[in-house]
């Protein structure tokens, strides 16, 4: 439709107005070209970053990357196995803590609270937390957990990541539940189902795909977070303790430390890690979109 | 009617025990969701509380001078936040100046110019820019962008503007290394584009197409439709989207830490290294103790207050996407 209307008058119409028409035509042209160029620029930067990661990272990818632990200063070889596993553990911990809280809070906003003052305030606060600087969440968890517990720990890292994930899940859960038609709920209530059953069996079921998408997007968001881990899980060049006390090695902080290091093998590992983490996150984001789209089509 | 009741009897026979939801579960579920919602409030209160609690000694020691002093001497225990505050504001402002026109351009392209089959892939590409981790932008900025920027922009530009009034100060690179305030601003601009662009796109989409079509119908060009119909209609929401981008730019940490140079120096040149609040906290917090740590937490407190105000304004200005 746009395209039909877009091929409009300036070129086709007769020109009794002379210069006026010309300047209108020019402004239109400039707008169209500029907007197209800006969009190309955005795509170009994404492509450039991905190509950089492939170019720098693929050479460093070897089996050792996935089997050996991070090397100490000045030692040769090594891998980032402990950092990869550590990141998986911390991200899982974060998402396991965040999902029930986020889903229930989103449910409160969409099903119980709705337009009440409390719900409005919580919605407002949640939107602010959604964009709040992640480094401040790291500081908060440092004071909350690291200081009282007497040291860095994976638990603190997991909680910091959970705090970042919760607003994402709350927002997506609420948005998805709001899309469920009220008549479905009323039908359930008319059959005598109590509120909790209507929510669990009807609303959640209808909004399932969207809610799963929200959780996946939250996972993608926290998997690459560096700033909140700096003061909570810190890092570690060895396998971390099974109790998750002490520093827990993780990919983002390892990349941060290794990328700026003077050792050649550290930098190679940083690039390999950067490639792995970015590709995983982009894959998660794309999968989340596909799930939602498939649901919409159906 | 009879058939229906038969069926009920049959199903009752097959499942003689009717499962009842206990009222305890029903109430428990309600309280659990209520409690979870309160956790969101508690987190925000907790962040404000810890920042004030942790930063209090620094605020007490230096008073209002903490904000205005530009001395940051760890050994001498003299702390002033001005350089970091100025760095945060300047880098975010540069990001807006570069990022906002590009974001709005992308939103206009997606809603007005793009053929429909191309719309979804292009939207996805722009949104994926937001999924790339901050640290990756930092590495790209430091290892790829900064050297190119130094060679092809800083060196020639410095040669041109040297000795000129004003420009000779603002665009003069003492050490053309590529890192510095302007590089940080450019990286931040790229990082906030997907947020501003996707909200602006949603807002433009919400404008009733009858308005657009009427404007085209009386012979407006696309530029005139955008300028006189779409932008005024979406106006306040776009400002909200810009504020959201500003909030993101103010608190961005890792990417900035890589490319800003981390110097505690006030400089009029956009090419000189500086620091932001977030980059300073990231750099120094792990080695800090006592008053130093308190000063960093006080910095965090200032950052939180500023971003809170900006994001609250953003939230108030963006009319929330209405769900049918």
């Amino acid at each position: 439709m746009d395209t039909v209307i877009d091929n409009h008058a300036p070129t086709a119409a007769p020109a009794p107005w002379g210069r006026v028409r010309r300047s209108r035509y020019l402004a239109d042209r400039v707008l169209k070209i500029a907007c197209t160029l800006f969009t190309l620029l955005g795509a170009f930067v994404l492509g450039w970053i991905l190509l950089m990661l492939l170019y720098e990272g693929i050479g460093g990818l070897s089996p050792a990357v996935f089997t050996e632990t991070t090397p100490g200063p000045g030692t040769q070889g090594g891998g980032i196995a402990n950092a990869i596993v550590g990141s998986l553990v911390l991200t899982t911990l974060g998402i396991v803590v965040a999902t029930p809280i986020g889903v229930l809070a989103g449910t409160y906003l969409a099903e119980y609270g709705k337009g009440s003052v409390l719900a409005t305030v919580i919605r407002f606060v949640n939107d602010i937390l959604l964009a709040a600087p992640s480094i401040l969440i790291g500081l908060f968890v440092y004071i909350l957990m690291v200081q009282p517990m007497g040291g860095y720990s994976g638990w603190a890292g997991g909680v910091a990541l959970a705090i970042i994930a919760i607003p994402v899940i709350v927002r997506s859960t609420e948005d998805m539940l709001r899309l469920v038609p009220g008549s479905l709920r009323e039908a359930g209530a008319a059959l005598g189902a109590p509120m909790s059953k209507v929510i669990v069996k009807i609303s959640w079921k209808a909004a399932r795909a969207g809610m799963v998408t929200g959780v996946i997007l939250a996972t993608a968001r926290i998997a690459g977070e560096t700033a909140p881990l700096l003061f909570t899980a810190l890092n570690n060049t060895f396998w971390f303790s099974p109790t998750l006390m002490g520093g827990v090695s993780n990919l983002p902080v390892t990349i941060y430390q290794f990328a700026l290091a003077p050792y050649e093998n550290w930098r190679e590992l940083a690039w390999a890690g950067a490639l792995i983490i970015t590709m995983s996150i982009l894959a998660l984001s794309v999968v989340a979109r596909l799930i939602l789209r498939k649901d919409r089509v159906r | 009617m009879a058939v229906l009741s038969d069926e009920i009897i049959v199903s009752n026979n097959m499942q003689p025990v009717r499962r009842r939801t206990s009222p305890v579960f029903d109430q428990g579920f309600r309280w659990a969701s209520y409690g979870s919602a309160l956790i969101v409030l508690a987190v925000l209160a907790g962040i404000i509380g810890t920042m004030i609690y942790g930063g209090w000694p620094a605020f007490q020691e230096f008073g209002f001078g903490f904000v205005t002093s530009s001395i940051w001497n760890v050994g001498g225990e003299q702390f002033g936040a001005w350089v970091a505050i100025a760095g945060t504001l300047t880098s975010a402002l540069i990001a807006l100046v570069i990022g906002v026109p590009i974001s709005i351009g992308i939103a206009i392209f997606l809603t007005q110019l793009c053929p429909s089959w191309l719309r979804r892939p292009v939207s996805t590409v722009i949104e994926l820019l937001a999924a790339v981790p901050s640290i990756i932008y930092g590495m790209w900025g430091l290892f790829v962008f900064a050297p190119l920027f130094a060679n092809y922009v800083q060196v020639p530009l410095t040669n041109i503007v040297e000795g000129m009034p004003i420009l000779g100060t603002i665009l003069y690179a003492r050490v053309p290394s590529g890192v510095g305030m302007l590089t940080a601003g450019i990286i931040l601009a790229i990082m906030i584009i997907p947020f501003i662009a996707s909200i602006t796109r949603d807002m433009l989409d919400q404008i009733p197409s009858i308005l657009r079509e009427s404007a085209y119908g009386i012979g407006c060009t696309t530029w005139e439709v955008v300028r006189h119909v779409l932008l005024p209609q979406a106006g306040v929401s776009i400002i909200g989207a810009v504020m959201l981008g500003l909030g993101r730019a103010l608190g961005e940490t890792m990417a900035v830490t890589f490319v800003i140079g981390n110097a505690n120096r006030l400089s009029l040149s956009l090419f000189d290294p500086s620091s932001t609040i977030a980059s300073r906290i990231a750099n120094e917090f792990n080695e800090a103790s006592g008053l130093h740590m308190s000063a960093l937490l006080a910095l965090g407190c200032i950052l939180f207050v500023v971003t809170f105000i900006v994001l609250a304004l953003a939230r108030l200005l963006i009319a929330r996407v209405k769900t049918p």
Side-chain angles (χ1 to χ4, degrees):
Chain A
M1 185 179 64
D2 289 25
T3 44
V4 177
I5 302 170
D6 278 353
N7 297 331
H8 42 63
T11 42
W17 313 286
R19 300 168 65 87
V20 178
R21 206 201 77 176
R22 204 176 168 76
S23 73
R24 292 179 60 199
Y25 176 72
L26 204 71
D28 190 51
R29 254 298 142 90
V30 168
L31 174 87
K32 283 179 176 168
I33 292 172
C35 290
T36 313
L37 281 181
F38 286 158
T39 310
L40 284 175
L41 181 74
F44 172 72
V45 170
L46 184 71
W48 190 2
I49 289 174
L50 293 184
L51 280 179
M52 167 197 79
L53 288 172
L54 284 173
Y55 176 78
E56 301 272 2
I58 221 152
L61 279 184
S62 63
V65 168
F66 299 98
T67 54
E68 290 179 28
T69 59
T70 39
T75 52
Q76 285 304 305
I80 45 175
N82 52 341
I84 294 175
V85 176
S87 262
L88 288 176
V89 170
L90 291 177
T91 308
T92 311
L93 190 62
I95 220 66
V96 164
V97 173
T99 302
I101 297 176
V103 166
L104 283 172
T107 305
Y108 174 81
L109 294 181
E111 304 278 349
Y112 292 109
K114 288 181 188 144
S116 71
V117 177
L118 180 69
T120 312
V121 169
I122 290 175
R123 210 169 279 134
F124 185 79
V125 165
N126 192 66
D127 278 359
I128 285 174
L129 285 179
L130 203 57
S134 58
I135 191 155
L136 296 183
I137 290 164
L139 288 182
F140 168 53
V141 176
Y142 178 88
I143 304 280
L144 185 75
M145 292 180 73
V146 176
Q147 265 189 348
M149 287 164 79
Y152 301 106
S153 72
W155 302 108
V159 168
L161 293 182
I163 291 177
I164 294 169
I166 287 172
V168 181
I169 300 177
V170 171
R171 179 72 189 261
S172 64
T173 304
E174 195 206 345
D175 285 352
M176 291 303 147
L177 287 177
R178 280 173 154 221
L179 290 176
V180 177
S183 54
L184 283 183
R185 295 188 187 95
E186 283 158 16
L191 290 174
M195 190 87 171
S196 60
K197 198 154 204 170
V198 169
I199 292 170
V200 175
K201 299 274 181 179
I202 297 173
S203 302
W204 281 7
K205 214 163 201 170
R208 198 172 37 194
M211 289 161 71
V212 170
T213 304
V215 173
I216 297 177
L217 286 178
T219 314
R221 167 88 198 275
I222 62 175
E225 281 286 352
T226 317
L229 293 178
L230 280 176
F231 320 133
T232 53
L234 196 65
N235 199 10
N236 189 344
T237 51
F238 311 104
W239 284 102
F240 44 89
S241 111
T243 58
L244 293 184
M245 296 307 290
V248 172
S249 45
N250 59 83
L251 264 182
V253 180
T254 303
I255 294 171
Y256 174 49
Q257 291 174 344
F258 278 24
L260 300 170
Y263 310 109
E264 189 59 33
N265 61 331
W266 280 27
R267 280 202 219 153
E268 256 181 28
L269 287 174
W271 283 113
L275 177 65
I276 295 170
I277 205 164
T278 310
M279 290 305 164
S280 321
I281 288 170
L282 292 186
L284 276 179
S285 311
V286 172
V287 166
R289 264 159 241 277
L290 290 181
I291 291 179
L292 200 60
R293 200 198 314 181
K294 207 172 161 196
D295 186 62
R296 287 282 146 78
V297 171
R298 199 171 45 137
Chain B
M1 207 58 199
V3 178
L4 195 64
S5 52
D6 277 355
E7 261 178 33
I8 291 170
I9 292 165
V10 169
S11 66
N12 271 349
N13 284 346
M14 282 158 69
Q15 275 185 312
V17 183
R18 195 169 149 236
R19 297 227 326 255
R20 284 192 74 111
T21 314
S22 80
V24 177
F25 176 81
D26 196 49
Q27 279 304 308
F29 188 82
R30 175 190 281 271
W31 285 109
S33 52
Y34 185 66
S36 300
L38 290 182
I39 288 179
V40 175
L41 284 185
V43 166
L44 186 85
I47 295 176
I48 301 174
T50 49
M51 294 299 143
I52 293 175
Y53 161 79
W56 192 247
F59 283 130
Q60 224 169 16
E61 175 83 24
F62 304 112
F64 193 69
F66 182 73
V67 178
T68 53
S69 159
S70 53
I71 300 165
W72 188 269
N73 182 349
V74 176
E77 300 227 307
Q78 283 298 310
F79 300 106
W82 181 241
V83 176
I85 293 174
T88 307
L89 297 179
T90 315
S91 60
L93 199 68
I94 297 172
L96 287 190
V97 168
I98 300 172
V100 168
I102 298 181
S103 311
I104 294 179
I106 291 175
I108 292 171
F109 177 83
L110 283 171
T111 52
Q112 314 298 321
L113 307 177
C114 184
S116 57
W117 58 269
L118 196 62
R119 215 188 129 140
R120 197 193 292 274
V122 173
S123 284
T124 307
V125 165
I126 299 300
E127 280 165 20
L128 283 183
L129 272 178
V132 173
S134 159
I135 190 165
I136 305 298
Y137 279 107
M139 292 171 81
W140 176 74
L142 181 62
F143 298 118
V144 180
F145 184 76
L148 291 175
F149 190 67
N151 277 339
Y152 296 105
V153 179
Q154 284 190 338
V155 173
L157 208 59
T158 299
N159 287 338
I160 294 171
V161 300
E162 195 164 4
M164 287 163 81
I166 305 175
L167 277 183
T169 317
I170 297 177
L171 295 175
Y172 182 74
R174 256 172 284 192
V175 186
S177 62
V179 299
M181 185 66 87
L182 188 57
T183 314
I186 292 171
I187 306 283
L188 282 175
I190 297 169
M191 297 181 72
I192 62 174
I193 282 172
F195 296 101
I196 304 180
S198 64
I199 296 177
T200 308
R201 178 199 60 196
D202 292 346
M203 293 304 149
L204 292 180
D205 266 344
Q206 277 186 22
I207 296 173
S209 51
I210 186 87
L211 286 178
R212 212 161 51 103
E213 283 160 17
S214 313
Y216 279 122
I218 58 167
C220 287
T221 63
T222 307
W223 158 250
E224 285 156 353
V225 172
V226 168
R227 169 71 187 78
H228 298 292
V229 179
L230 299 181
L231 291 186
Q233 275 288 315
V236 179
S237 305
I238 292 179
I239 296 173
V242 171
M243 298 295 269
L244 184 81
L246 176 62
R248 295 259 172 191
L250 289 170
E252 184 47 58
T253 312
M254 298 319 294
V256 175
T257 308
F258 268 85
V259 296
I260 201 160
N262 303 309
N264 186 59
R265 187 170 60 194
L266 272 184
S267 168
L268 285 174
S269 169
L270 291 178
F271 289 150
D272 273 348
S274 182
S275 334
T276 67
I277 293 178
S279 74
R280 177 160 293 162
I281 296 174
N283 269 316
E284 299 183 6
F285 191 77
N286 275 328
E287 281 88 43
S289 60
L291 196 60
H292 185 196
M293 177 179 278
S294 177
L296 290 172
L297 284 164
L299 276 182
C301 189
I302 294 171
L303 175 62
F304 190 78
V305 169
V306 174
T307 43
F308 184 91
I309 294 169
V310 168
L311 292 173
L313 279 177
R315 176 68 178 68
L316 293 174
L317 291 175
I318 299 173
R320 192 156 184 173
V321 181
K322 289 181 197 74
T323 45

PDB file of all heavy atoms in Angstrom, chain A residues 118-132:
ATOM      1  N   LEU A 118      -1.507   0.184  43.786  1.00  0.00           N
ATOM      2  CA  LEU A 118      -0.301  -0.605  44.027  1.00  0.00           C
ATOM      3  C   LEU A 118       0.234  -1.169  42.708  1.00  0.00           C
ATOM      4  O   LEU A 118       1.433  -1.087  42.423  1.00  0.00           O
ATOM      5  CB  LEU A 118      -0.599  -1.743  45.010  1.00  0.00           C
ATOM      6  CG  LEU A 118       0.608  -2.621  45.320  1.00  0.00           C
ATOM      7  CD1 LEU A 118       1.637  -1.848  46.132  1.00  0.00           C
ATOM      8  CD2 LEU A 118       0.200  -3.886  46.063  1.00  0.00           C
ATOM      9  N   ALA A 119      -0.658  -1.730  41.900  1.00  0.00           N
ATOM     10  CA  ALA A 119      -0.223  -2.318  40.630  1.00  0.00           C
ATOM     11  C   ALA A 119       0.387  -1.251  39.727  1.00  0.00           C
ATOM     12  O   ALA A 119       1.404  -1.483  39.072  1.00  0.00           O
ATOM     13  CB  ALA A 119      -1.383  -3.000  39.928  1.00  0.00           C
ATOM     14  N   THR A 120      -0.219  -0.054  39.709  1.00  0.00           N
ATOM     15  CA  THR A 120       0.320   1.021  38.877  1.00  0.00           C
ATOM     16  C   THR A 120       1.724   1.401  39.329  1.00  0.00           C
ATOM     17  O   THR A 120       2.631   1.578  38.514  1.00  0.00           O
ATOM     18  CB  THR A 120      -0.602   2.258  38.948  1.00  0.00           C
ATOM     19  OG1 THR A 120      -1.945   1.816  38.739  1.00  0.00           O
ATOM     20  CG2 THR A 120      -0.244   3.260  37.882  1.00  0.00           C
ATOM     21  N   VAL A 121       1.905   1.496  40.659  1.00  0.00           N
ATOM     22  CA  VAL A 121       3.220   1.845  41.192  1.00  0.00           C
ATOM     23  C   VAL A 121       4.237   0.758  40.841  1.00  0.00           C
ATOM     24  O   VAL A 121       5.355   1.049  40.393  1.00  0.00           O
ATOM     25  CB  VAL A 121       3.151   2.049  42.719  1.00  0.00           C
ATOM     26  CG1 VAL A 121       4.541   2.156  43.315  1.00  0.00           C
ATOM     27  CG2 VAL A 121       2.334   3.276  43.051  1.00  0.00           C
ATOM     28  N   ILE A 122       3.850  -0.505  41.014  1.00  0.00           N
ATOM     29  CA  ILE A 122       4.791  -1.593  40.743  1.00  0.00           C
ATOM     30  C   ILE A 122       5.155  -1.637  39.263  1.00  0.00           C
ATOM     31  O   ILE A 122       6.318  -1.822  38.902  1.00  0.00           O
ATOM     32  CB  ILE A 122       4.202  -2.939  41.211  1.00  0.00           C
ATOM     33  CG1 ILE A 122       4.170  -2.963  42.733  1.00  0.00           C
ATOM     34  CG2 ILE A 122       5.020  -4.108  40.684  1.00  0.00           C
ATOM     35  CD1 ILE A 122       3.507  -4.169  43.320  1.00  0.00           C
ATOM     36  N   ARG A 123       4.179  -1.422  38.400  1.00  0.00           N
ATOM     37  CA  ARG A 123       4.437  -1.382  36.962  1.00  0.00           C
ATOM     38  C   ARG A 123       5.458  -0.287  36.642  1.00  0.00           C
ATOM     39  O   ARG A 123       6.407  -0.494  35.889  1.00  0.00           O
ATOM     40  CB  ARG A 123       3.112  -1.089  36.262  1.00  0.00           C
ATOM     41  CG  ARG A 123       2.987  -1.677  34.885  1.00  0.00           C
ATOM     42  CD  ARG A 123       1.562  -1.560  34.407  1.00  0.00           C
ATOM     43  NE  ARG A 123       0.695  -2.600  34.947  1.00  0.00           N
ATOM     44  CZ  ARG A 123      -0.505  -2.370  35.465  1.00  0.00           C
ATOM     45  NH1 ARG A 123      -0.991  -1.156  35.520  1.00  0.00           N
ATOM     46  NH2 ARG A 123      -1.220  -3.371  35.933  1.00  0.00           N
ATOM     47  N   PHE A 124       5.262   0.867  37.248  1.00  0.00           N
ATOM     48  CA  PHE A 124       6.147   2.006  37.052  1.00  0.00           C
ATOM     49  C   PHE A 124       7.573   1.668  37.507  1.00  0.00           C
ATOM     50  O   PHE A 124       8.546   1.841  36.781  1.00  0.00           O
ATOM     51  CB  PHE A 124       5.585   3.176  37.859  1.00  0.00           C
ATOM     52  CG  PHE A 124       6.312   4.472  37.691  1.00  0.00           C
ATOM     53  CD1 PHE A 124       6.098   5.256  36.580  1.00  0.00           C
ATOM     54  CD2 PHE A 124       7.191   4.916  38.665  1.00  0.00           C
ATOM     55  CE1 PHE A 124       6.757   6.456  36.423  1.00  0.00           C
ATOM     56  CE2 PHE A 124       7.852   6.104  38.513  1.00  0.00           C
ATOM     57  CZ  PHE A 124       7.643   6.881  37.391  1.00  0.00           C
ATOM     58  N   VAL A 125       7.673   1.131  38.729  1.00  0.00           N
ATOM     59  CA  VAL A 125       8.978   0.766  39.287  1.00  0.00           C
ATOM     60  C   VAL A 125       9.641  -0.306  38.431  1.00  0.00           C
ATOM     61  O   VAL A 125      10.845  -0.265  38.147  1.00  0.00           O
ATOM     62  CB  VAL A 125       8.797   0.268  40.739  1.00  0.00           C
ATOM     63  CG1 VAL A 125      10.040  -0.442  41.222  1.00  0.00           C
ATOM     64  CG2 VAL A 125       8.464   1.435  41.650  1.00  0.00           C
ATOM     65  N   ASN A 126       8.853  -1.269  37.962  1.00  0.00           N
ATOM     66  CA  ASN A 126       9.401  -2.347  37.154  1.00  0.00           C
ATOM     67  C   ASN A 126       9.988  -1.808  35.848  1.00  0.00           C
ATOM     68  O   ASN A 126      11.057  -2.229  35.425  1.00  0.00           O
ATOM     69  CB  ASN A 126       8.307  -3.371  36.846  1.00  0.00           C
ATOM     70  CG  ASN A 126       8.880  -4.636  36.255  1.00  0.00           C
ATOM     71  OD1 ASN A 126       9.599  -5.365  36.910  1.00  0.00           O
ATOM     72  ND2 ASN A 126       8.589  -4.875  34.996  1.00  0.00           N
ATOM     73  N   ASP A 127       9.289  -0.853  35.231  1.00  0.00           N
ATOM     74  CA  ASP A 127       9.810  -0.278  33.997  1.00  0.00           C
ATOM     75  C   ASP A 127      11.113   0.465  34.238  1.00  0.00           C
ATOM     76  O   ASP A 127      11.979   0.514  33.365  1.00  0.00           O
ATOM     77  CB  ASP A 127       8.772   0.669  33.374  1.00  0.00           C
ATOM     78  CG  ASP A 127       7.738  -0.109  32.578  1.00  0.00           C
ATOM     79  OD1 ASP A 127       7.869  -1.344  32.509  1.00  0.00           O
ATOM     80  OD2 ASP A 127       6.807   0.510  32.024  1.00  0.00           O
ATOM     81  N   ILE A 128      11.254   1.049  35.418  1.00  0.00           N
ATOM     82  CA  ILE A 128      12.505   1.742  35.727  1.00  0.00           C
ATOM     83  C   ILE A 128      13.628   0.722  35.955  1.00  0.00           C
ATOM     84  O   ILE A 128      14.731   0.873  35.438  1.00  0.00           O
ATOM     85  CB  ILE A 128      12.324   2.671  36.934  1.00  0.00           C
ATOM     86  CG1 ILE A 128      11.544   3.902  36.475  1.00  0.00           C
ATOM     87  CG2 ILE A 128      13.664   3.080  37.528  1.00  0.00           C
ATOM     88  CD1 ILE A 128      11.174   4.835  37.564  1.00  0.00           C
ATOM     89  N   LEU A 129      13.316  -0.343  36.683  1.00  0.00           N
ATOM     90  CA  LEU A 129      14.336  -1.371  36.919  1.00  0.00           C
ATOM     91  C   LEU A 129      14.781  -2.012  35.609  1.00  0.00           C
ATOM     92  O   LEU A 129      15.923  -2.436  35.464  1.00  0.00           O
ATOM     93  CB  LEU A 129      13.794  -2.452  37.855  1.00  0.00           C
ATOM     94  CG  LEU A 129      13.702  -2.072  39.326  1.00  0.00           C
ATOM     95  CD1 LEU A 129      13.123  -3.225  40.123  1.00  0.00           C
ATOM     96  CD2 LEU A 129      15.064  -1.697  39.883  1.00  0.00           C
ATOM     97  N   LEU A 130      13.858  -2.071  34.652  1.00  0.00           N
ATOM     98  CA  LEU A 130      14.157  -2.678  33.352  1.00  0.00           C
ATOM     99  C   LEU A 130      15.344  -1.997  32.685  1.00  0.00           C
ATOM    100  O   LEU A 130      16.113  -2.625  31.974  1.00  0.00           O
ATOM    101  CB  LEU A 130      12.902  -2.538  32.482  1.00  0.00           C
ATOM    102  CG  LEU A 130      12.674  -3.483  31.323  1.00  0.00           C
ATOM    103  CD1 LEU A 130      12.663  -4.909  31.800  1.00  0.00           C
ATOM    104  CD2 LEU A 130      11.333  -3.164  30.665  1.00  0.00           C
ATOM    105  N   ALA A 131      15.483  -0.696  32.906  1.00  0.00           N
ATOM    106  CA  ALA A 131      16.543   0.044  32.234  1.00  0.00           C
ATOM    107  C   ALA A 131      17.582   0.570  33.225  1.00  0.00           C
ATOM    108  O   ALA A 131      18.465   1.314  32.839  1.00  0.00           O
ATOM    109  CB  ALA A 131      15.938   1.205  31.449  1.00  0.00           C
ATOM    110  N   ALA A 132      17.476   0.189  34.500  1.00  0.00           N
ATOM    111  CA  ALA A 132      18.407   0.708  35.502  1.00  0.00           C
ATOM    112  C   ALA A 132      19.822   0.208  35.221  1.00  0.00           C
ATOM    113  O   ALA A 132      20.000  -0.896  34.715  1.00  0.00           O
ATOM    114  CB  ALA A 132      17.969   0.280  36.893  1.00  0.00           C
TER     115      ALA A 132
END
